[in-house]
Amino acid sequence: MASDDELSLLVIVVDVNPIWWGQQAQREPEFTLSKCMDAVMVMSNAHLVMTRSNKLAIIASHCRESHFLYPNKHWKAGDFAGDESSCGSRDGKYELLTVGNDLISEEIKNLMERTEVRGQQTETLLAGSLAKALCYIHRVTKELDAGQEMKSRILVIKAADDSALQYMNFMNVIFAAQKQSILIDACVLDADSGLLQQACDITGGLYLKVPQKIALAQYLLWVFLPDSDQRSQLVLPPPVHVDYRAACFCHRNLIEIGYVCSVCLSIFCNFSPICTTCETAFKIALPHAMKAKKKKLKPTT
Amino acid sequence: MATSSEEVLLVVKRVRQKKQDGALYLMAERVAWAPEGKDRFSVSHLYADIRCQKISPDGKSKIQLQLVLHTGETTNFHFTSESSAMKDRDAAKDLLQQLLPKFKRKANKELEEKNRMLQEDPLLFQLYKDLVVSQVISAEEFWANRVSMNSVDHSLTNSKQEVGISAAFLADVRPQTDGCNGLRYNLTSDIIESIFRTYPAVKQKYGENVPHNLTEKEFWTRFFQSHYFHRDRISTGSQDLFAECGKLDEQGLKSMVGQGVRNSMVDLTSLEDKSLDEGYGISSGPSTSSHNKTLKENSNAAIIKRFNHHSAMVLATGLRKQDAQNEQNGETSSTDGNSKDSDFFQPSVKKVKLQEAIEYADLEQENGRKPVALNLKKSDRYSHGPTPVQCQQYATSQDIINSVNCIRHEIADYTPRLTQVLSSSTASTAIAALSPGGVLMQGGTQQAINQMVPNDTQCELKHLYVAAGELLRHFWSCFPVNTPFLEEKVVKMRSNLERFQVTKLCPFQEKMQRQYLSTNLTGHLEEMLQTAYNKFHAWQTRRMLRKT
């Protein structure tokens, strides 16, 4: 119908780490997971209402799995099957929104009910959720009609801390998103996350650490609802300065100048004749005058 | 009148200049004109000042000679003698043609060179305007470094490529009808040169006949009239000047065909143009001999032969030049392209080509060259990568169980209450934080500096930087000060810098203040100048100390 048929797909990845949210419920009872889900629902309804052709997906990122809250594979748009009481909209809302909200709340309840935390699995599987989001975007892109274009972005609402072990997967996801021109926005509730800062910087998205959690809905609507074309016309928070310094593999200290093994690409702060990761031997033939500058030279094989 | 030592080479009476009758005098070093009856020259030009001369075309009623000076001024002389105006003018022109080249001043060439450089490089031009026109430094200093640089470049650009010949040059000579059954051909020197280069036989004829037997005009008239030029070239009577050329061409073509193409990869003789019928392919029957061809085929064959010959000659002109250079090496040159081919297909090259055609790299067997395997001992380092250690919050298992139970209870009773998500006060504080000047918006203004400063101010600033950079470069290149020349230059550069600051930088700063631009755009420039002043001061005090 409309001549400007560019679709916009928003994928919201919500961090529902039960341990963090449980502790949060005890710390700050006025902002709990229920409130957070309400804010997410407001944002998603607003997105769907902005343009008729907008699409939405919501993924819950748990410590055991990543689960799609919306859309549900057993549900098709326009399918109002169910008992009489849930049929139709109770408060005059657009039916799609009613059904969507019901779906989301049901799914999150089921997800939390079957939560079992075992052993060391206390960290959010954020890299996995992002990978699922990318796959979903890819699938929807393939299912488009010929001639239709789609712009997609991912909004990450992050609660718990970064998981250091997911670094490699995370970086792969970021670069894949950059290749596909998919923006990654980040809304951080608790502690600053270096990985998400890098993600936003590389893909061109926005990073925001929310100062007041109870006003989450307002921040989401103000900053993250407009898409990338509209953002250039708006005055939004300026980008954060990202610390791209690497940490050495031996001490995990941030360094500015270091040595890189040319075989395995591991980073060290001091020169050693054998790389501890891949056991390659290095030699540097230094003339006496250059000894003072030794720290700035990179090893050659 | 003329000074007594001047030798008068030619006097031409009845020459008008600016509607006054007079006489033109050509001396050893200058050309001058005096009005009738007067004995003082009113117009006098040194040959060195004259850039070129021009004459009016032959058909015009007024016979004129124009002198163009280096400065661009022109002086016109009108020859009015009834009987010999044309001869006078031509005599004057010829004499000037001989004399002018002797006096071409080298110095003017430099001036032209400088002008050319300024026109070609707008940045240089801007720098020149900023520094020399506003008298910050003198023109000699400006050109001191540059002219030496460019005289080297100029010699390199002289070795330009030769312009080739368009194959259609004869067709481009489109004749125009003269109104009454005649044709007018416009021949330019380019076309004449192309004809000579392509057909050396015609050049030879030209050399033989002009100017002894025929004038140039007559030669070319005959050329275009001859059947040599026209399409259906059937050699008629030997009265035609160019019949011999036709025979030479035939011989040339035969020799070219006889030489053949010395490329063992190509077999031209197996190509036949005998088709069975329209669209049915080539028949491999015996080729019909030439005397069975119809008349039409014969004339077509003649045109095609001529066409091929023409193309071959055009190509050969390009190679002839290369061959002329190669003659120093003692190679024998031929006037067609075959020599190139035969050189090209030496046995080694042929072998390589045959091998390329036979072998396919991916059908070969794998060469068992194994790459070195990566042997990682501590691969768990890659799982966290180059990230610093972050303090993890340790949660006891009891904590974990408590939290999980807590969240389960909470979500079990969850119903979305979307009308009570946000209170207005929290919303307003959030909006205040997000508005310009709010808590979250700090650091935004510093990034928009290029949007806050207008474009022309930016341009001016760029010019200032370029000019200051140039002056500072001269200044700093004087150190270490070894020679008295450098000492003088340092002192001069310092005064230049001061002058620059006063004449250029201060007005710019005032202008910015008037425009209420609070950003400090000239801080860095001032810093650079101050460093230069400090260095100069230090050097000067040291010099004083050394002297005392």
Side-chain angles (χ1 to χ4, degrees), chain B residues 85 107 216 220 271 321 335 405 500:
Chain B
E216 204 174 330
W220 290 116
L271 296 175
K321 211 144 270 104
T335 54
N405 287 337
F500 172 78

Side-chain angles (χ1 to χ4, degrees), chain A residues 266-284:
Chain A
S266 35
I267 302 171
F268 299 105
C269 45
N270 274 321
F271 171 70
S272 72
I274 297 187
C275 170
T276 43
T277 319
C278 63
E279 300 200 338
T280 321
F282 291 109
K283 292 176 229 158
I284 289 192

Side-chain angles (χ1 to χ4, degrees), chain B residues 65-227:
Chain B
L65 178 80
Q66 188 185 66
L67 296 175
V68 183
L69 302 183
H70 283 293
T71 54
E73 271 176 54
T74 58
T75 318
N76 281 338
F77 296 107
H78 181 198
F79 293 80
T80 51
S81 153
E82 281 100 44
S83 49
S84 57
M86 186 68 113
K87 226 169 37 147
D88 290 339
R89 197 272 305 274
D90 286 339
K93 176 192 93 170
D94 290 334
L95 192 58
L96 276 173
Q97 241 176 357
Q98 290 169 16
L99 292 169
L100 279 179
K102 294 186 199 162
F103 287 90
K104 262 208 184 301
R105 261 202 294 190
K106 284 226 177 100
N108 273 327
K109 204 170 170 195
E110 273 182 36
L111 201 65
E112 276 181 37
E113 179 72 31
K114 288 177 188 171
N115 277 338
R116 188 186 62 86
M117 270 167 51
L118 283 181
Q119 272 171 8
E120 280 177 4
D121 189 2
L123 273 180
L124 192 65
F125 190 48
Q126 183 66 38
L127 196 60
Y128 185 79
K129 269 201 291 195
D130 282 342
L131 293 178
V132 177
V133 176
S134 57
Q135 296 186 351
V136 177
I137 62 175
S138 68
E140 289 107 36
E141 287 173 2
F142 183 77
W143 290 112
N145 277 358
R146 292 204 162 72
V147 176
S148 56
M149 280 192 316
N150 270 47
S151 57
V152 176
D153 293 337
H154 197 57
S155 56
L156 290 174
T157 55
N158 268 343
S159 54
K160 277 188 241 168
Q161 283 181 322
E162 296 277 343
V163 179
I165 299 179
S166 146
F169 66 85
L170 278 180
D172 281 340
V173 182
R174 285 190 205 92
Q176 299 158 345
T177 47
D178 210 352
C180 39
N181 260 359
L183 289 172
R184 228 185 116 79
Y185 284 86
N186 260 337
L187 273 183
T188 63
S189 55
D190 276 340
I191 296 179
I192 293 179
E193 198 195 319
S194 312
I195 295 179
F196 283 164
R197 273 165 77 179
T198 316
Y199 295 107
V202 176
K203 187 171 183 182
Q204 212 182 4
K205 286 277 171 197
Y206 181 85
E208 283 167 16
N209 290 318
V210 175
H212 321 288
N213 299 344
L214 310 160
T215 64
E216 204 174 330
K217 197 167 166 194
E218 278 176 24
F219 179 80
W220 290 116
T221 320
R222 288 245 201 132
F223 176 78
F224 284 116
Q225 277 174 351
S226 80
H227 283 286

Side-chain angles (χ1 to χ4, degrees), chain B residues 436-448:
Chain B
V439 171
L440 294 170
M441 302 294 280
Q442 301 299 329
T445 49
Q446 280 161 0
Q447 292 161 6

Side-chain angles (χ1 to χ4, degrees), chain A residues 103-285:
Chain A
L103 207 59
I104 294 171
S105 51
E106 203 176 307
E107 287 293 328
I108 190 81
K109 278 192 221 179
N110 292 342
L111 176 65
M112 283 317 193
E113 210 175 291
R114 60 174 191 262
T115 301
E116 297 170 13
V117 181
R118 293 210 194 120
Q120 295 303 311
Q121 289 170 343
T122 56
E123 293 188 328
T124 321
L125 297 175
L126 196 54
S129 313
L130 285 175
K132 268 202 178 174
L134 286 179
C135 290
Y136 179 76
I137 291 173
H138 184 77
R139 190 189 101 201
V140 174
T141 318
K142 288 273 183 279
E143 287 174 354
L144 288 176
D145 297 331
Q148 269 187 330
E149 287 183 9
M150 188 168 82
K151 274 205 163 159
S152 10
R153 61 189 202 272
I154 302 178
L155 168 62
V156 178
I157 299 179
K158 189 168 190 313
D161 289 336
D162 268 347
S163 166
L165 295 170
Q166 293 176 21
Y167 174 78
M168 281 298 173
N169 301 335
F170 214 99
M171 295 313 285
N172 285 338
V173 162
I174 294 173
F175 289 119
Q178 185 199 25
K179 268 275 165 62
Q180 303 282 317
S181 324
I182 297 173
L183 264 65
I184 298 183
D185 298 322
C187 183
V188 172
L189 299 176
D190 193 10
D192 268 321
S193 154
L195 287 174
L196 277 176
Q197 280 179 347
Q198 285 190 39
C200 297
D201 197 40
I202 291 173
T203 55
L206 276 173
Y207 177 89
L208 182 69
K209 179 171 179 322
V210 168
Q212 270 183 302
K213 296 195 202 49
I214 41 176
L216 177 65
Q218 182 61 56
Y219 290 111
L220 288 179
L221 289 174
W222 184 280
V223 180
F224 297 108
L225 186 60
D227 62 21
S228 57
D229 293 335
Q230 296 157 4
R231 280 179 202 178
S232 55
Q233 317 288 329
L234 300 171
V235 180
L236 291 172
V240 188
H241 173 73
V242 185
D243 188 359
Y244 276 112
R245 282 182 299 171
C248 64
F249 277 41
C250 35
H251 308 107
R252 308 281 295 275
N253 296 332
L254 289 173
I255 52 174
E256 281 170 13
I257 297 177
Y259 295 81
V260 179
C261 171
S262 49
V263 175
C264 61
L265 298 180
S266 35
I267 302 171
F268 299 105
C269 45
N270 274 321
F271 171 70
S272 72
I274 297 187
C275 170
T276 43
T277 319
C278 63
E279 300 200 338
T280 321
F282 291 109
K283 292 176 229 158
I284 289 192

Side-chain angles (χ1 to χ4, degrees), chain B residues 273-428:
Chain B
D273 204 16
K274 188 83 190 111
S275 60
L276 285 172
D277 203 343
E278 194 79 28
Y280 279 91
I282 304 175
S283 82
S284 50
S287 61
T288 53
S289 49
S290 49
H291 39 260
N292 280 349
K293 284 194 201 154
T294 61
L295 189 65
K296 185 166 177 249
E297 279 185 20
N298 266 334
S299 60
N300 284 350
I303 293 178
I304 291 176
K305 220 179 350 172
R306 226 184 118 195
F307 179 69
N308 287 337
H309 175 69
H310 174 77
S311 309
M313 297 298 276
V314 169
L315 279 177
T317 54
L319 292 169
R320 225 177 281 141
K321 211 144 270 104
Q322 280 179 340
D323 287 344
Q325 287 168 6
N326 284 341
E327 263 170 8
Q328 296 168 12
N329 303 340
E331 273 182 47
T332 52
S333 58
S334 57
T335 54
D336 51 17
N338 286 340
S339 61
K340 284 284 154 189
D341 266 352
S342 65
D343 289 345
F344 196 53
F345 281 93
Q346 297 292 329
S348 56
V349 180
K350 190 168 132 191
K351 196 172 175 189
V352 168
K353 281 219 164 240
L354 278 173
Q355 275 214 308
E356 272 177 23
I358 299 174
E359 293 174 346
Y360 285 93
D362 41 352
L363 293 180
E364 304 282 327
Q365 273 195 335
E366 295 266 335
N367 296 339
R369 228 194 348 161
K370 286 200 194 112
V372 180
L374 186 62
N375 174 23
L376 290 176
K377 288 285 183 271
K378 294 199 183 157
S379 53
D380 55 327
R381 279 182 180 174
Y382 290 103
S383 58
H384 56 72
T387 50
V389 180
Q390 280 163 346
C391 52
Q392 301 268 330
Q393 290 182 341
Y394 180 71
T396 62
S397 13
Q398 193 55 48
D399 278 341
I400 294 176
I401 297 173
N402 286 348
S403 317
V404 171
N405 287 337
C406 179
I407 195 75
R408 272 211 213 141
H409 284 143
E410 192 213 315
I411 288 292
D413 305 326
Y414 169 57
T415 45
R417 275 184 300 220
L418 297 184
T419 51
Q420 290 158 17
V421 169
L422 204 56
S423 75
S424 52
S425 50
T426 41
S428 350

